[in-house]
């Protein structure tokens, strides 16, 4: 292989406002017979915001008001690791074996105060809402690729195998609690929702390409 031999690598890192961090690294070690590579990345990124809204709806001579204010936070995190090797079996044949595994997560949280009332006055409800949701994903994949080039330019055959496994877990909890006019919570619920979803995915692929120009 007419390429530079030895060790080389790249490291990146970034920092952003509202606690956003990201980094990654890639390293290669190349000889005449093989190229070994390894890489990893990591991220922890936060987004924060506030919400203020007022809604009016009309039914006959009655006006319904819904006033709310609160916050919403979102966190995206994860890390993964990958490694593999290119094997130079001959000047015209290369085999690549690689794998990757990691974990990712998306977390949301929020809360706020709500005041719902009507004019003429028939109801006057104060409530405090809270919401937490988490989405986690664990995965890994394995790859094998074999390529052979024939004497004629562009004449080649290539085969590949791919397998992946992924487990996902999503949970959500949301509640609206009655409150007094100062938004002190009671133990009585307007709404309470809990949900859990689990999902498992597997994928297997085989591909073969033959090119004769």
């Amino acid at each position: 292989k007419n390429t530079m031999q030895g060790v080389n690598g790249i490291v990146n890192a970034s920092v952003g406002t509202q606690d956003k961090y990201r980094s990654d690294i890639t390293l290669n070690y190349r000889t005449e017979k093989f190229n070994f590579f390894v890489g990893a990345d990591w991220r922890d990124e936060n987004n924060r915001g506030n919400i203020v809204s007022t809604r009016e709806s009309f039914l006959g001579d009655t006006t319904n008001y819904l006033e709310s204010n609160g916050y919403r936070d979102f966190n995206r995190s994860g890390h993964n690791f990958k490694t593999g090797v290119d094997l130079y079996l001959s000047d015209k044949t290369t085999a690549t074996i690689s794998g990757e595994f990691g974990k990712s997560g998306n977390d949301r949280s929020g809360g706020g105060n709500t005041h719902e009332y009507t004019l003429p006055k028939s109801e006057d409800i104060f409530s405090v809402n809270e919401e937490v949701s988490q989405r986690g994903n664990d995965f890994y994949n394995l790859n094998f690729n074999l390529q052979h080039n024939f004497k004629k330019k562009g004449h080649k055959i290539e085969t590949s195998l791919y397998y992946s496994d992924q487990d996902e877990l999503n949970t959500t909890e949301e509640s609206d609690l009655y409150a007094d006019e100062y938004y002190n919570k009671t133990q009585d619920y307007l709404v309470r929702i809990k949900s859990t979803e689990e999902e498992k995915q597997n994928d297997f692929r085989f591909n073969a390409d033959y090119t004769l120009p």
Side-chain angles (χ1 to χ4, degrees):
K1 296 290 179 179
N2 295 320
T3 54
M4 184 177 296
Q5 298 182 31
V7 179
N8 64 81
I10 300 174
V11 178
N12 297 299
S14 64
V15 178
T17 57
Q18 294 190 348
D19 296 327
K20 294 182 177 67
Y21 309 99
R22 180 185 287 266
S23 64
D24 62 81
I25 182 172
T26 302
L27 296 172
N28 289 272
Y29 175 64
R30 183 185 295 271
T31 71
E32 291 184 354
K33 296 295 185 181
F34 67 88
N35 173 50
F36 174 75
F37 54 90
V38 62
D41 68 66
W42 169 83
R43 67 182 179 277
D44 185 8
E45 300 175 330
N46 294 281
N47 292 279
R48 302 183 180 93
N50 296 311
I51 300 173
V52 177
S53 69
T54 300
R55 189 182 71 189
E56 298 180 15
S57 57
F58 306 93
L59 181 62
D61 62 351
T62 302
T63 304
N64 179 272
Y65 295 89
L66 183 63
E67 300 174 350
S68 61
N69 65 82
Y71 70 94
R72 293 291 184 272
D73 293 341
F74 176 68
N75 172 265
R76 177 178 294 155
S77 62
H79 57 269
N80 73 292
F81 177 83
K82 55 187 176 183
T83 186
V85 60
D86 300 315
L87 301 172
Y88 308 130
L89 304 179
S90 71
D91 291 340
K92 298 184 178 299
T93 305
T94 302
T96 301
I97 303 170
S98 64
E100 181 179 12
F101 67 90
K103 183 184 184 77
S104 65
N106 294 310
D107 298 338
R108 296 178 184 270
S109 62
N113 302 324
T114 300
H115 183 202
E116 184 174 8
Y117 59 97
T118 60
L119 291 176
K121 189 171 183 178
S122 62
E123 64 177 21
D124 195 10
I125 299 173
F126 295 87
S127 62
V128 176
N129 60 78
E130 300 172 342
E131 180 182 356
V132 176
S133 67
Q134 296 178 316
R135 180 177 181 179
N137 180 37
D138 296 311
F139 71 92
Y140 72 88
N141 60 66
L142 303 170
N143 301 271
F144 174 77
N145 181 271
L146 180 65
Q147 179 176 294
H148 177 75
N149 296 306
F150 297 94
K151 290 183 178 181
K152 185 178 180 181
K153 184 177 181 180
H155 185 195
K156 63 181 180 178
I157 185 170
E158 184 173 2
T159 61
S160 62
L161 291 169
Y162 172 84
Y163 176 78
S164 67
D165 183 274
Q166 179 174 283
D167 294 312
E168 188 172 300
L169 176 63
N170 302 323
T171 61
T172 300
E173 184 171 353
E174 182 180 353
S175 63
D176 287 337
L177 288 160
Y178 284 104
D180 62 23
E181 60 183 307
Y182 302 106
Y183 296 104
N184 297 308
K185 293 184 295 184
T186 70
Q187 298 300 312
D188 299 321
Y189 289 93
L190 272 165
V191 176
R192 190 181 190 187
I193 300 172
K194 288 185 177 182
S195 66
T196 300
E197 297 180 7
E198 295 184 62
E199 184 176 354
K200 184 176 180 65
Q201 294 182 350
N202 302 98
D203 187 21
F204 176 77
R205 302 175 209 161
F206 171 75
N207 188 62
D209 291 317
Y210 176 72
T211 304
L212 178 61

